[in-house]
Amino acid sequence: SGQVWHGRSGQDGGKAQDSGECPFGQVSGFSRRAETGMVRLFAHCNRRTLMSLHGDYDDQNIFAKIIRGEAPCYTLYEDDDVLAFLDVFPQSFGHSLVIPKKAAARNLLEIDTDSLAKVMAVVQRLTRVLVEELQPAGVQVAQFNGAPAGQTVFHIHMHVIPRFAGESLGIHASAKADPAELEQLQARLRARLAD
Ligand code: AMP
């Protein structure tokens, strides 16, 4: 069911996840790659940020709170192992996230292969549903490891981002979508996922 968004958890879900983050933390991983070389980027990141690839799992991260039901989300699909929901700062219409529920893994290095396989099965199913329902011209599936790579929430997640002809990608984790629009989209996608 549609859950009303309240509070500003986006703060959590955005750059506040790691106080030692990259100063480019709000810039899209994609555009960042285009605009700066990795060497220049690394020069701007402090040591703690570079360590974000290897830090401890923080169970207060926003996705852990969502899994425990302590923070709301626009759920698209859920089973015992996997949760899929709408990104509230979408980079395109239909931008969704898929996360493991049981694995306390920050990134691809840490997740066990069984959990990863379950996540990817849902990524594929959701991608098919997004294509059927929204008819995009393409779909981007992305996953970032460590702040220098663009990661802002340190619970592993797959981005599923429909791409529409002539529309460029929105800035990463920047503009919050209209709740009414998210609820409407959620209903459309949930109806297809239930088929
Ligand atoms: P990443 O930068 O790969 O770690 O991606 C984190 C994603 O989570 C971004 O696309 C954010 O827009 C998104 N995000 C942050 N907080 C929330 C939230 N509370 N609900 C849904 N999506 C969120």
Side-chain angles (χ1 to χ4, degrees):
S1 62
Q3 292 184 46
V4 178
W5 188 261
H6 52 80
R8 289 199 57 218
S9 302
Q11 293 172 331
D12 258 337
K15 52 192 303 183
Q17 286 292 319
D18 183 346
S19 57
E21 70 194 335
C22 174
F24 294 141
Q26 294 290 67
V27 181
S28 158
F30 304 103
S31 57
R32 184 184 309 159
R33 271 194 292 282
E35 287 164 16
T36 64
M38 285 308 283
V39 172
R40 186 163 160 232
L41 179 62
F42 272 80
H44 283 81
C45 296
N46 65 28
R47 191 160 183 280
R48 174 129 186 263
T49 297
L50 294 174
M51 292 302 287
S52 75
L53 195 56
H54 301 294
D56 294 328
Y57 182 85
D58 173 10
D59 66 8
Q60 293 306 306
N61 77 73
I62 186 64
F63 293 172
K65 289 180 181 174
I66 286 173
I67 291 166
R68 292 194 298 266
E70 296 167 11
C73 75
Y74 295 90
T75 304
L76 297 176
Y77 171 86
E78 182 166 19
D79 61 30
D80 287 346
D81 302 293
V82 183
L83 175 66
F85 52 100
L86 292 175
D87 196 304
V88 291
F89 303 92
Q91 288 183 266
S92 77
F93 188 61
H95 183 169
S96 305
L97 301 168
V98 184
I99 64 175
K101 286 168 64 178
K102 290 179 179 160
R106 290 159 50 95
N107 55 44
L108 196 61
L109 302 175
E110 297 176 2
I111 190 170
D112 63 283
T113 50
D114 279 357
S115 297
L116 182 61
K118 286 171 179 161
V119 166
M120 291 310 294
V122 174
V123 166
Q124 185 184 43
R125 185 164 165 210
L126 180 58
T127 301
R128 287 177 172 151
V129 161
L130 286 166
V131 167
E132 284 167 16
E133 183 65 26
L134 306 181
Q135 306 279 309
V139 183
Q140 208 159 20
V141 174
Q143 188 270 322
F144 306 136
N145 301 281
Q151 187 173 13
T152 59
V153 178
F154 291 87
H155 177 104
I156 185 170
H157 50 278
M158 303 295 303
H159 294 262
V160 184
I161 308 175
R163 298 299 305 270
F164 300 91
E167 284 185 22
S168 55
L169 207 60
I171 303 290
H172 190 47
S174 64
K176 197 162 156 197
D178 172 25
E181 190 175 278
L182 289 176
E183 266 182 49
Q184 207 174 37
L185 180 59
Q186 178 193 30
R188 287 173 66 186
L189 296 172
R190 280 178 69 109
R192 280 224 185 236
L193 279 159
D195 281 349

